[in-house]
Amino acid sequence: MISCINLFRKDPSLDDGKFDAFLDETYAPLCLQIPGMESFEVDRVTLKEQGDASSDAITADAFTIERYPDLGTYQQAVASNAYAAVLRERANAVAHDETYVCLENVSIPLNTQRECHKKISLLGRTAPDVSFEDFTREWFVVHSGCMAKMPTDIFFGYNQHLIIDRMVNGQHVSHDRLPFDGILELFFSEASEVANAFKTVPEGQLTVAHRKEFMSSVDPFLVDISIQM
């Protein structure tokens, strides 16, 4: 599965209400016309969390997630007139956008009937100590295995997105410009329960210690899903 994750910073002339209306009433309907796209989601940022490896310089007002069955389908979609219309409309309300093209791995399939919170985090490796290949192995295999053993009444779902291309305002940029290697989606019960699990559950303690070996940055955002199709 290919995921295309867009980070948006809104035009400062728009208040939150107008930006929300743009995403829900104008932007999303256009995105749903993109050929080959299997699903689409709008995540409105409610809080930027601070942690031991986050930066105040990394900000966002919203994320969108487009999912495609394979890279070829994504490339055809991007070349379509429908996608061009999306980009033209985006410029009317978004002052800065970052696009991350990713390989998606569903580590813990989302499964809950309870109230669910969601976090999106940008992840950077401890380069140059850790190669991209090492990061991929440590995150997709070892780290994912630890997360899969965490309590299912706290951790409801975990999706990993390995970044293979990145753009700023539609222009391809280097890793130095956007030094992130992965994006995670974490679905959970309550933030306090998550924090306690990482401190007290053996797999949680191992996960935190292991993360510091191959990730140098973790920038987490709490989000509300406003549209999911």
Side-chain angles (χ1 to χ4, degrees):
M1 178 72 70
I2 294 294
S3 57
C4 176
I5 300 180
N6 297 290
L7 177 157
F8 293 159
R9 296 176 196 154
K10 67 182 181 66
D11 188 317
S13 67
L14 297 178
D15 61 28
D16 289 346
K18 289 183 178 179
F19 186 58
D20 288 345
F22 165 79
L23 291 174
D24 295 349
E25 300 169 12
T26 302
Y27 188 73
L30 277 178
C31 288
L32 293 178
Q33 298 178 32
I34 297 173
M37 187 174 65
E38 291 194 342
S39 68
F40 176 74
E41 182 176 315
V42 176
D43 295 318
R44 189 72 167 87
V45 173
T46 59
L47 178 69
K48 168 66 185 298
E49 287 191 334
Q50 299 300 313
D52 64 336
S54 64
S55 167
D56 290 337
I58 311 302
T59 61
D61 294 298
F63 292 87
T64 64
I65 304 177
E66 308 158 22
R67 288 181 168 90
Y68 301 87
D70 52 56
L71 187 58
T73 303
Y74 164 74
Q75 292 170 335
Q76 291 176 0
V78 170
S80 68
N81 291 332
Y83 212 95
V86 166
L87 296 181
R88 287 194 299 270
E89 192 61 44
R90 181 188 297 177
N92 292 329
V94 175
H96 175 87
D97 67 81
E98 300 171 7
T99 299
Y100 298 93
V101 183
C102 311
L103 299 175
E104 182 176 7
N105 173 54
V106 180
S107 178
I108 305 174
L110 179 60
N111 181 25
T112 183
Q113 302 299 319
R114 296 172 53 190
E115 180 183 2
C116 184
H117 301 283
K118 181 179 177 182
K119 181 185 300 186
I120 293 179
S121 298
L122 304 177
L123 312 174
R125 59 191 158 102
T126 52
D129 297 333
V130 175
S131 68
F132 182 68
E133 291 75 18
D134 287 342
F135 175 89
T136 302
R137 181 184 63 253
E138 295 300 318
W139 188 38
F140 265 29
V141 181
V142 181
H143 203 74
S144 178
C146 292
M147 287 297 299
K149 296 176 182 177
M150 295 294 281
T152 56
D153 61 337
I154 299 175
F155 297 88
F156 300 146
Y158 185 71
N159 299 337
Q160 299 172 300
H161 303 264
L162 184 69
I163 298 170
I164 58 175
D165 194 12
R166 48 188 63 77
M167 289 168 269
V168 173
N169 296 336
Q171 301 298 314
H172 293 272
V173 298
S174 67
H175 183 275
D176 290 339
R177 175 72 185 279
L178 291 179
F180 306 111
D181 299 280
I183 299 175
L184 70 81
E185 295 177 274
L186 178 65
F187 301 86
F188 58 95
S189 55
E190 296 292 341
S192 58
E193 294 179 339
V194 170
N196 184 62
F198 281 131
K199 290 179 181 179
T200 61
V201 176
E203 289 80 11
Q205 295 170 336
L206 179 61
T207 299
V208 172
H210 179 243
R211 185 268 291 174
K212 294 179 180 180
E213 294 178 4
F214 71 101
M215 291 183 195
S216 61
S217 65
V218 180
D219 285 280
F221 299 85
L222 293 179
V223 300
D224 282 341
I225 303 173
S226 61
I227 290 181
Q228 189 173 31
M229 302 179 181

